[in-house]
């Protein structure tokens, strides 16, 4: 049974999609803990309802980024995870933290990376006049939002889109691709070579 630890900052809809897929598809895995960097993160309540350990490492209570990263690493390590999953986690992690879980940490980002890494990707996609947007699941590496891509899904951008309507359309696809990527990782179906991740059986990694 693979042990999954999910890091969140807010609503936790991707967390919910992961927990539901894990149960519905009987993955040989379980979400053993959810850790938030903010006590107000709404996803913590869902975790508790599910009987999953829900913890807070409060970034604002830590004296420095290094102190936060050290406290977070202790909290994560206490659950001996096979995989660490960032799901709407909003704090940049230092190199040491990332290296500790390299090859075992995934993130879902709401853009078609390498376009629009970092904050406000939907706003920036609209400002750039993009006609296609989407979401990406990638392995986390020290360079923000630049790790090897596991799966991507595209959505159309409509002329009347706002940041909120585009974000909602992208989020629906996040809820499809993130569970799929984690399932592949749990099953050991991903191969990472020369900065590129392939599915060993050639499963579709680009959804249109
Ligand atoms: N850390 C590393 N080293 N590499 C990545 O690829 C990471 C990461 C930490 C988080 C998620 C990411 C995203 O999907 C992620 C990927 C936070 C910020 C950010 O600027 C940017 C990207 C991501 C997460 N955070 C501000 C900070 O100073 C805080 C912003 C806020 O609190 O609203 O940490 O987009
Ligand atoms: C999602 O769209 C996720 O891709 C994004 O925040 C949202 C979280 O929603 N992540 C980032 O922007 C990371 N910087 P959720 O809490 O409902 O899963």
């Amino acid at each position: 049974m693979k042990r999954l630890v999910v890091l969140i900052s807010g609503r936790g809809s991707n967390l919910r999609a992961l927990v539901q897929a894990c149960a519905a598809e009987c993955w040989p895995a379980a979400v053993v803990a959810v850790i938030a960097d903010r006590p107000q993160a709404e996803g913590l309540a869902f975790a508790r309802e599910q009987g999953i350990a829900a913890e807070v490492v409060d970034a604002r209570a830590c004296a420095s980024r290094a102190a936060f990263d050290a406290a977070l690493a202790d909290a994560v390590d206490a659950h001996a995870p096979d995989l660490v999953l960032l799901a709407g986690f909003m704090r940049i992690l230092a190199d040491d933290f990332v290296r500790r879980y390299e090859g075992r940490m995934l993130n879902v980002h709401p853009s078609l990376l390498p376009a629009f890494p970092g904050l406000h990707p939907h706003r920036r996609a609209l400002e750039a006049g993009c006609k296609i947007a989407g979401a990406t699941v990638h392995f986390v590496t020290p360079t923000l939002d630049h790790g090897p891509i596991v799966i991507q899904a595209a959505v159309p951008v409509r002329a009347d889109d706002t940041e909120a309507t585009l974000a909602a359309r992208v989020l629906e696809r996040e809820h499809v691709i993130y569970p799929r990527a984690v399932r592949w990782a749990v099953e050991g179906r991903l191969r990472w070579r020369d900065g590129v991740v392939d599915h060993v059986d050639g499963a579709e990694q680009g959804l249109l």
Side-chain angles (χ1 to χ4, degrees):
M1 194 65 101
K2 292 272 165 60
R3 301 172 61 82
L4 314 179
V5 168
V6 182
L7 306 188
I8 63 167
S9 295
R11 179 175 52 189
S13 71
N14 277 291
L15 163 69
R16 194 179 285 259
L18 290 168
V19 168
Q20 286 171 351
C22 184
E25 299 170 7
C26 303
W27 299 353
V31 176
V32 295
V34 173
I35 304 174
D37 62 337
R38 302 168 56 234
Q40 308 87 341
E42 300 90 333
L44 290 167
F46 170 76
R48 291 194 188 102
E49 278 164 34
Q50 299 291 311
I52 298 168
E55 298 170 15
V56 177
V57 178
D58 192 345
R60 289 170 56 180
C62 292
S64 63
R65 275 190 181 262
F68 171 76
D69 277 21
L72 184 64
D74 284 346
V76 171
D77 283 350
H79 295 283
D82 296 290
L83 290 173
V84 178
L85 307 172
L86 308 188
F89 185 71
M90 294 308 296
R91 297 210 69 82
I92 296 174
L93 298 161
D95 294 11
D96 285 353
F97 186 97
V98 173
R99 290 217 182 83
R100 192 182 189 88
Y101 306 106
E102 196 140 31
R104 296 187 292 140
M105 182 156 56
L106 292 165
N107 178 43
V108 62
H109 180 74
S111 79
L112 290 176
L113 292 172
F116 312 121
L119 300 177
H120 311 301
H122 307 105
R123 184 191 309 168
R124 288 152 64 209
L126 291 172
E127 282 168 3
C130 292
K131 309 308 176 203
I132 300 280
T136 303
V137 178
H138 64 94
F139 279 101
V140 176
T141 59
T143 308
L144 188 70
D145 290 334
H146 276 76
I149 292 168
V150 175
I151 186 168
Q152 294 184 300
V155 301
V157 179
R158 311 232 184 259
D160 60 353
D161 265 334
T162 62
E163 221 177 313
T165 59
L166 179 57
R169 192 175 309 119
V170 170
L171 188 65
E172 276 184 38
R173 306 299 281 157
E174 294 181 43
H175 296 163
V176 173
I177 63 173
Y178 206 13
R180 196 170 299 184
V182 174
R183 181 182 180 157
W184 290 342
V186 162
E187 293 173 340
R189 307 314 286 162
L190 297 173
R191 288 290 169 273
W192 179 340
R193 53 162 178 87
D194 302 332
V196 172
V197 169
D198 291 317
H199 187 279
V200 290
D201 305 319
E204 200 63 69
Q205 288 171 266
L207 308 187
L208 298 177

